[in-house]
C-alpha cells in the first residue's frame, strides 16, 4: 500500500466502519478514492481527519463519515444513473463513480465545476459535470435511479423527486426547525407517492440559486 492508501484504510476503519456504516461497496469505494487530491495542496495532509475542510469559494469537502452515510442511504448500484446536486470538490462524485454509478453532477460555481471536472478526469472517473444550479444553464431530464443533494436545502424541490424512476432514492440534508439539518431519504413508490425516512443530523453549507463565476460575486 502507498502512504495515502494506508491513511484511507485507517479512515474507513476508525471513522466510518466504527460508526456503523456496513455497506461493503461504500467502504471499498472510500478506501479506493484519493481524498487528498480533491483538496487544495496546503490541506492535503489533513485529508483523512474526521472533519469537513475548506475547498475555496466558501465551500467545503464533507466529513468522511457524512459522505459514507449519504452514499449508504442512496445505495447506488453498478450502472445506475445518479444525479448529484452540488459537485463541490468532486469527492462525493468520485465515491459514487467508484461504486460503478453513472454520475451527472451539477455545480453552480464555475471555478469549482472546472476544478472538480479536471480532478475527476485526471483520476479516471467518468463523471459528467455541468455548470448549473438546476434552474438555469440546463437541467438533466433523467430519469435517474438516485438524486443526492450535497448542500442544506430549506425545502424539497419537486423536480428532484419527479426525475426519479419508481424505486429511485433521493437523499438530501433538509433544514429542520431545531436548527441545522437532518438527512432525509425519500424512496419513490410511484408518481407522487413516496416513502420518507429521517436519519442523522448534520450541518452543510446552504443550497443557493443562480450560476456564478465565483462565489464572491454574490
Amino acid at each position: 500500500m502507498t502512504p495515502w492508501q494506508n491513511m484511507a484504510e485507517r479512515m474507513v476503519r476508525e471513522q466510518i466502519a466504527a460508526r456503523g456504516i456496513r455497506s461493503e461497496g461504500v467502504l471499498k469505494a472510500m478506501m479506493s478514492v484519493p481524498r487528498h487530491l480533491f483538496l487544495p495542496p496546503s490541506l492535503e495532509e489533513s485529508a483523512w481527519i474526521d472533519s469537513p475542510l475548506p475547498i475555496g469559494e466558501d465551500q467545503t469537502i464533507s466529513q468522511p463519515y457524512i459522505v459514507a452515510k449519504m452514499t449508504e442511504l442512496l445505495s447506488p448500484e453498478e450502472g445506475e444513473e445518479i444525479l448529484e446536486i452540488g459537485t463541490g470538490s468532486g469527492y462525493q462524485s468520485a465515491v459514487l463513480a467508484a461504486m460503478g454509478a453513472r454520475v451527472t453532477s451539477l455545480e453552480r460555481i464555475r471555478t469549482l465545476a472546472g476544478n472538480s471536472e479536471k480532478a475527476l478526469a485526471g483520476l479516471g472517473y467518468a463523471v459528467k459535470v455541468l455548470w448549473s444550479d438546476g434552474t438555469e444553464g440546463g437541467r438533466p431530464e433523467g430519469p435517474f435511479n438516485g438524486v443526492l443533494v450535497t448542500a442544506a436545502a430549506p425545502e424539497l424541490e419537486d423536480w428532484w423527486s419527479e426525475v426519479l424512476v419508481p424505486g429511485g432514492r433521493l437523499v438530501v440534508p433538509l433544514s429542520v426547525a431545531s436548527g441545522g439539518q437532518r438527512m432525509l431519504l425519500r424512496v419513490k413508490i410511484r408518481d407522487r407517492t413516496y416513502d420518507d425516512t429521517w436519519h442523522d443530523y448534520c450541518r452543510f453549507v446552504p443550497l443557493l440559486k443562480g450560476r456564478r463565476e465565483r462565489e464572491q460575486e454574490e
Side-chain angles (χ1 to χ4, degrees), residues 19 30 47 54 74 105:
R19 294 179 66 181
M30 295 196 68
L74 191 69
S105 188

Side-chain angles (χ1 to χ4, degrees), residues 171-187:
V171 177
V172 52
L174 200 62
S175 297
V176 292
S178 58
Q181 304 94 39
R182 195 172 179 188
M183 292 183 201
L184 174 68
L185 169 62
R186 164 169 285 191
V187 179

Side-chain angles (χ1 to χ4, degrees), residues 119-161:
L120 288 159
L123 292 167
Y125 297 113
V127 175
K128 182 187 294 184
V129 179
L130 303 177
W131 179 36
S132 171
D133 68 344
T135 60
E136 58 179 283
R139 175 188 293 177
E141 295 182 0
F144 293 96
N145 302 99
V147 175
L148 181 65
V149 182
T150 62
E155 59 186 6
L156 290 173
E157 296 194 17
D158 291 341
W159 74 272
W160 297 340
S161 301

Side-chain angles (χ1 to χ4, degrees), residues 65-66 69-70 72-74 170-174 176 181-187 195-202:
Y65 168 76
I66 292 295
K69 182 65 179 183
M70 294 183 76
E72 186 173 63
L73 289 174
L74 191 69
L170 165 67
V171 177
V172 52
L174 200 62
V176 292
Q181 304 94 39
R182 195 172 179 188
M183 292 183 201
L184 174 68
L185 169 62
R186 164 169 285 191
V187 179
D195 179 33
D196 292 347
T197 56
W198 293 96
H199 298 271
D200 297 38
Y201 286 91
C202 51

Side-chain angles (χ1 to χ4, degrees), residues 3 11 26 28 60 73 78 91 104 124 130 138 143 173 177 206-207:
M11 175 192 77
V26 172
K28 285 180 63 177
T60 61
L73 289 174
E78 185 156 1
Y91 177 65
T104 300
L130 303 177
L207 183 69

Side-chain angles (χ1 to χ4, degrees), residues 55-57 59 87-89 105-118 129-133 136 209-218:
I55 58 171
E57 311 296 349
Q59 303 298 302
T87 318
S89 69
S105 188
L106 309 185
E107 174 52 58
R108 63 182 289 272
I109 303 172
R110 189 171 191 171
T111 51
L112 290 183
N115 291 344
S116 60
E117 184 174 40
K118 183 178 179 180
V129 179
L130 303 177
W131 179 36
S132 171
D133 68 344
E136 58 179 283
K209 301 291 187 184
R211 294 195 304 171
R212 294 289 183 268
E213 293 282 345
R214 301 181 63 86
E215 185 67 24
Q216 287 81 354
E217 289 183 353
E218 293 198 301

Side-chain angles (χ1 to χ4, degrees), residues 44-104:
E44 285 187 7
E45 291 186 1
S46 301
W48 313 104
I49 65 175
D50 190 26
S51 175
L53 294 166
I55 58 171
E57 311 296 349
D58 294 325
Q59 303 298 302
T60 61
I61 185 173
S62 294
Q63 174 187 0
Y65 168 76
I66 292 295
V67 172
K69 182 65 179 183
M70 294 183 76
T71 307
E72 186 173 63
L73 289 174
L74 191 69
S75 302
E77 296 184 6
E78 185 156 1
E80 286 193 331
E81 298 283 347
I82 303 298
L83 176 64
E84 179 186 32
I85 313 294
T87 318
S89 69
Y91 177 65
Q92 174 72 80
S93 305
V95 172
L96 295 169
M99 295 181 69
R102 297 165 57 89
V103 184
T104 300

